[in-house]
Amino acid sequence: KARMQIRPEIDSSAVLAELTTENGGILIEAPTTGTFVLYLDDVITAALEFDQAVYDVEMIAPNGDVTRVMQGVVTLSREVTR
């Protein structure tokens, strides 16, 4: 399994978006190589209202061990062409 949260700041309790393998936001394409795809649909992205935020992605092993595999800053780029 995998999970990802986007928050305004690291210490913030507000979650701007949450992706998981359970909600279809993360697809693990190749478990043996660790390849995965993040997916935010148009409904989720249309509701986002930030310029920059922080995120991380965690993988959850079958035994429950959690490993953070990515982290950083996400910049929201709003649609121009409609």
Side-chain angles (χ1 to χ4, degrees), residues 47-69:
L48 296 175
E49 296 183 7
F50 63 85
D51 291 322
Q52 286 192 330
V54 294
Y55 77 95
D56 66 7
V57 178
E58 297 177 335
M59 302 301 273
I60 306 155
N63 68 358
D65 288 348
V66 176
T67 304
R68 184 171 57 173
V69 295

Side-chain angles (χ1 to χ4, degrees), residues 4-76:
M4 172 187 173
Q5 290 184 337
I6 300 173
R7 296 177 183 261
E9 299 173 349
I10 291 171
D11 296 332
S12 176
S13 62
V15 177
L16 302 172
E18 184 166 29
L19 307 176
T20 68
T21 46
E22 287 85 358
N23 71 14
I26 301 176
L27 173 64
I28 300 175
E29 288 191 329
T32 56
T33 63
T35 305
F36 61 92
V37 175
L38 304 175
Y39 178 71
L40 287 124
D41 66 26
D42 60 332
V43 174
I44 294 171
T45 56
L48 296 175
E49 296 183 7
F50 63 85
D51 291 322
Q52 286 192 330
V54 294
Y55 77 95
D56 66 7
V57 178
E58 297 177 335
M59 302 301 273
I60 306 155
N63 68 358
D65 288 348
V66 176
T67 304
R68 184 171 57 173
V69 295
M70 293 176 61
Q71 70 280 327
V73 175
V74 60
T75 301
L76 184 61

